[in-house]
Structure formats: structure tokens, C-alpha cells
Amino acid sequence: MNFYSLNKQAPKVSFKDAVIKGIAPDKGLYFPESIEPLPASFFEGIEDLSHHEIAFNAIHQFVSDDIPNGKLKEILADVLDFDFPIVQLEENVATLELFHGPTMAFKDVGARFMANCLGYFSEGTTTEVTVLVATSGDTGGAVANGFLGVEGVKVVILYPSGKVSDIQERQLTTLAQNISALEVEGTFDDCQNMVKTAFLDEKLLRAMQLTSANSINVARWLPQLFYFLFAYKAAKSQGKEIVFAVPSGNFGNICAGLVAQKLGMPVKHFVAATNVNDTVPEFMKTREYLPKPSTPTISNAMDVGDPSNFIRIRHLFHDDFEALSKTLSSYTFTDSETKEAMKAIYRNSNYIADPHGAVGYLGLKKYQESHPNTYGIFLETAHPVKFLAVVEETIAEKLAIPQQIQQVMGKEKKSIKIATYEELKEFLLDS
Ligand SMILES: *Cc1c(COP(=O)(O)O)cnc(C)c1O
């Protein structure tokens, strides 16, 4: 399958080239030329399919011949070697736990899939690829873990100094090998702007093959649609209309859910829940898209003022606002509402939600006020232990530390401090 640039000023490319380039030369996001619905029999018989089979059927049309079927199956088996359980909390309210991977955030699947694809594409070539990525928290750890030791690929991660949690920071600064962590004096937006500037820098682009591992990369974005299919498989027997509530920052995850719907997955509605970074909830109210600087919150992986994947969502609906608003609602919540939700979930269901999941829960409950008879699934995008301080303080309990996290807690942080784009450029050219 070919992918075109949403800016329409660049040639179409194969899956392979879309993954290697990350973003089109006209700075547009790549988008698949077609999304062919899966046969009705796929959804009718989904209970009998394994996660690996579901994933292969769903992703195959996008990858097409760029990766042979046998290799693609191998990659999927490697990527999906952990569970995606659904936990029912209340009548008609369940959570889909996406945090059982190596870095305990949902980004593990996309990051591992992309790392495997890039590793496969660079076999037998001599040009090294440099993956440049900005993180507001979880992307960095997932990308570092996914790409660790992949031959022919170097990874450079930019993160805002003092604005990620201690565990998040350790996950991205303690691996070494082919992974470098740059600690930026500034905000996540500053990190993202430096990355964007690098992708426009002709001198840099001539000197190295740069790609991005943010969810703009199709190999990070598309595999996220698996979650929704896995959840559908598990929730189908409820016999109710299904609603997904997705805690959203860059809107890659929810956009992948909407692709699953285009593939034919029967689902009634999607709720994009955000923290106070409310650019999309405002858009859904006013029809005006007004990006703004991001505001720090306790759900820091969603502190995004200009969500890069929202343009893909608009495109999926042919920029038809009416059609989009029939499928998508979007609500915004403050940190104090989020903490109240964490307390309520703990009190009522004896379940510990992380701040991101709690925002998803709030979005679901708000939608269900007017649609009570739906079966709602909110996505738990990170393990609560990744936000240890705020979770322990909010629910007044100590958390047990899982083994994946204990492993990084004792390791020494290694980062390089930078403050300007020039310093980033120097680092890239010298390394
Ligand atoms: C990245 C992230 C999100 C936001 O996902 P998007 O695809 O950027 O909308 C939500 N929760 C957690 C824990 C994350 O790491």
C-alpha cells in the first residue's frame, strides 16, 4: 500500500519509505491511500482468533509486501508478548489495561513495532538511521526500550528537564548503548520544536538519515488499532453498544481506534478525554482549531497544545464536522477533577487508576450521563506506579513496585543537558 502526504505536495511512498522518512518532505503526515474494511466474518468470528491473528489481519494491508508475511508474523509475536486485560469496574464500565509491556505504558506496542520494522528495513544496508524523538514522558522510555540494541539505528531522545516523573526519566536515561538522552532546559513544546526544526534543516538532512518515532510515524501510529480490536473481542459478548474513552494528548491512539472502526469494527462512539490542554474539546465546541502552548498537569503525557494527529482524524472524516461529531465527543478535565476520580475509583471499585486513565474514566462517565445503556471501556494507558508520587498522595496508599520498574530505579541517570537548537544540531553532527 502507498501512503500520501496530507499536505499533498510530496510524492506517494511505500510503507517502508513512510517508516524510514517519518514525515513527508512537504512536512505533511503520511496517510494510507485506502482503508479496506475487513470481511464481516472477521468480526463475527473474532472470539476464535488469537491476538496475533487479529493483529496480522488488521495490519497486513498497510504493510503489504514491504515485509514478507512470515517476517511480519514474527514481528507481531515479538511485539505482542504480553496481556491486554479488560477489568470490569462498575456495571457498564470497564478498563482496558494497556500497561503490561516492558515500560508499563501503552506506547510499548507502537515503539516495538516501529523498532522491528526499522531494524528489518536496515538489514543489509550501510546507512545508519537516526531516530529523533521528543517526549513528554512515556514515549521516551518506550522508544528507548523498543530500539535498544537494534543494529543500524541510533536513537536520540529529547525530554523537558524536571517535567517528567522520576521513573519515566530513569527509563529513558539509563539504557546507554545506541540510546542518548538529551535533557532540555524548557517545556515539551520546546523539545518538539527542536525536533521539527531538525527535520527542516537541510544541512542536517544531507549529513544523516533522520526519522521520527513520535506517533506521526505510521509504524508507531497504526499498530495501536490492535488494542481496540482486542477489547472488542473481549467485550462483544456483553451484547451492548460499545463506547471507547481514550485519554488523549497527541491523538494518535484514538485516531488508530477510528481506523479500527473504518476497518468495520462495530462500535457506537469514541470519547477523547483531555486534561486542561483542551484544544480539541474546544474545536468540537466551536469548530475552530486554535493550538496553544501546553500547560503542565498531573497527566503529563497528555500535555499537548497542538495535537499532531488530529489532522489525521479530520482527514478520516473528510473534514466533515457533522460526521465527525456523530462519532467523536471530546471533554476536558482539571487536575482536581482527575484526583477526585482517582479517589472515587479506588473507593468504589478498589482499583488504582493512574492520572491518564482517570481522565479517560471521567470522559466515559460524562458521555454515559446521556447514553446510560452503553458498554463503556476506558483505556488505562499507563501503570499507576509510573506516577508514583501523585498516585500515592491522592489515594493515601503505598503502591507495590513491579519488577520492570524496580530494575530501573537503582540505575544511574545519564543525560546531556541542552538549551538551544544549535546544541542539538552540534550533538547530532558530532555523534
Ligand atoms: C502518550 C500517552 C497518552 C496520549 O496518547 P496520544 O496517542 O498521544 O493521544 C495518554 N496516556 C499515556 C500514559 C501516554 O503515555
Side-chain angles (χ1 to χ4, degrees):
M1 164 149 345
N2 282 327
F3 289 75
Y4 57 88
S5 162
L6 289 183
N7 286 349
K8 307 272 167 68
Q9 304 296 317
K12 289 177 188 165
V13 296
S14 63
F15 174 76
K16 174 179 173 177
D17 286 339
V19 176
I20 293 174
K21 287 189 198 322
I23 193 158
D26 64 359
K27 303 303 149 202
L29 270 61
Y30 282 118
F31 199 87
E33 207 166 25
S34 67
I35 300 174
E36 292 300 329
L38 293 164
S41 59
F42 173 82
F43 293 99
E44 281 155 18
I46 197 165
E47 299 91 327
D48 301 326
L49 300 177
S50 69
H51 281 174
H52 294 176
E53 288 166 332
I54 292 171
F56 178 80
N57 277 293
I59 200 87
H60 179 251
Q61 65 172 299
F62 301 111
V63 176
S64 49
D65 299 335
D66 287 2
I67 300 176
N69 287 352
K71 180 69 195 174
L72 181 58
K73 285 179 183 167
E74 240 174 67
I75 289 176
L76 290 170
D78 180 61
V79 169
L80 302 169
D81 70 347
F82 50 88
D83 282 345
F84 302 85
I86 285 214
V87 180
Q88 176 128 6
L89 301 185
E90 300 166 20
E91 193 189 353
N92 291 338
V93 175
T95 183
L96 171 65
E97 293 186 343
L98 299 177
F99 54 68
H100 294 275
T103 71
M104 311 208 93
F106 81 97
K107 293 186 172 77
D108 280 327
V109 166
R112 284 172 149 204
F113 185 76
M114 180 181 165
N116 270 282
C117 289
L118 215 49
Y120 174 74
F121 295 143
S122 62
E123 270 171 27
T125 66
T126 48
T127 33
E128 193 173 57
V129 180
T130 300
V131 172
L132 187 61
V133 67
T135 183
S136 59
D138 285 331
T139 301
V143 166
N145 192 281
F147 281 85
L148 183 68
V150 174
E151 299 256 339
V153 182
K154 261 201 322 215
V155 177
V156 179
I157 300 168
L158 281 71
Y159 72 99
S161 181
K163 296 191 178 63
V164 304
S165 80
D166 177 52
I167 287 167
Q168 287 175 328
E169 183 170 38
R170 282 180 205 271
Q171 282 181 329
L172 62 95
T173 55
T174 56
L175 290 175
Q177 292 188 42
N178 57 332
I179 315 289
S180 309
L182 302 186
E183 183 174 352
V184 176
E185 206 61 56
T187 63
F188 170 66
D189 291 332
D190 297 326
C191 298
Q192 204 159 27
N193 283 333
M194 284 190 194
V195 169
K196 281 184 185 154
T197 308
F199 281 104
L200 292 168
D201 189 324
E202 297 291 339
K203 182 174 170 211
L204 207 54
L205 296 180
R206 272 196 303 274
M208 58 196 348
Q209 175 70 59
L210 269 190
T211 192
S212 157
N214 285 103
S215 51
I216 53 173
N217 195 300
V218 296
R220 268 237 17 231
W221 166 50
L222 286 170
Q224 303 178 116
L225 66 86
F226 303 157
Y227 310 139
F228 299 86
L229 297 172
F230 298 165
Y232 174 72
K233 170 184 165 171
K236 190 183 159 191
S237 62
Q238 298 285 337
K240 293 200 172 151
E241 290 182 303
I242 293 174
V243 175
F244 283 109
V246 186
S248 296
N250 253 325
F251 283 69
N253 199 9
I254 192 165
C255 184
L258 293 163
V259 172
Q261 189 186 34
K262 289 268 177 230
L263 290 175
M265 181 180 67
V267 47
K268 181 179 169 66
H269 203 75
F270 287 84
V271 179
T274 72
N275 56 31
V276 292
N277 293 284
D278 62 352
T279 303
V280 172
E282 278 299 306
F283 171 81
M284 296 307 291
K285 251 195 269 175
T286 63
R287 305 187 180 209
E288 258 188 293
Y289 186 85
L290 296 173
K292 44 189 146 188
S294 64
T295 304
T297 72
I298 58 168
S299 47
N300 68 20
M302 312 199 293
D303 295 348
V304 185
D306 184 7
S308 44
N309 281 288
F310 193 62
I311 187 162
R312 281 187 169 133
I313 294 183
R314 291 170 72 171
H315 190 71
L316 260 178
F317 288 84
H318 312 287
D319 261 313
D320 176 346
F321 184 85
E322 300 302 331
L324 175 61
S325 55
K326 278 199 190 99
T327 303
L328 180 78
S329 302
S330 190
Y331 310 122
T332 168
F333 300 97
T334 63
D335 277 356
S336 61
E337 289 171 310
T338 306
K339 286 185 187 169
E340 284 310 313
M342 289 161 68
K343 284 186 205 162
I345 297 168
Y346 186 58
R347 201 171 49 233
N348 301 331
S349 309
N350 200 25
Y351 186 83
I352 301 173
D354 96 292
H356 304 77
V359 169
Y361 172 85
L362 284 166
L364 178 60
K365 294 297 265 190
K366 185 150 181 165
Y367 178 79
Q368 284 184 324
E369 281 171 15
S370 50
H371 300 83
N373 213 15
T374 51
Y375 190 76
I377 302 170
F378 72 92
L379 277 51
E380 238 311 359
T381 44
H383 193 288
V385 78
K386 293 199 77 172
F387 305 92
L388 196 61
V390 61
V391 173
E392 288 189 338
E393 184 202 303
T394 303
I395 64 165
E397 290 285 349
K398 286 276 171 211
L399 302 192
I401 312 287
Q403 196 226 339
Q404 286 108 307
I405 303 293
Q406 278 178 17
Q407 272 177 3
V408 297
M409 302 258 283
K411 287 197 193 158
E412 192 198 342
K413 157 182 163 184
K414 284 208 183 78
S415 69
I416 297 155
K417 289 210 174 178
I418 64 165
T420 63
Y421 174 70
E422 284 311 312
E423 288 173 280
L424 169 64
K425 182 169 178 175
E426 217 174 287
F427 176 83
L428 289 170
L429 289 172
D430 289 350
S431 62

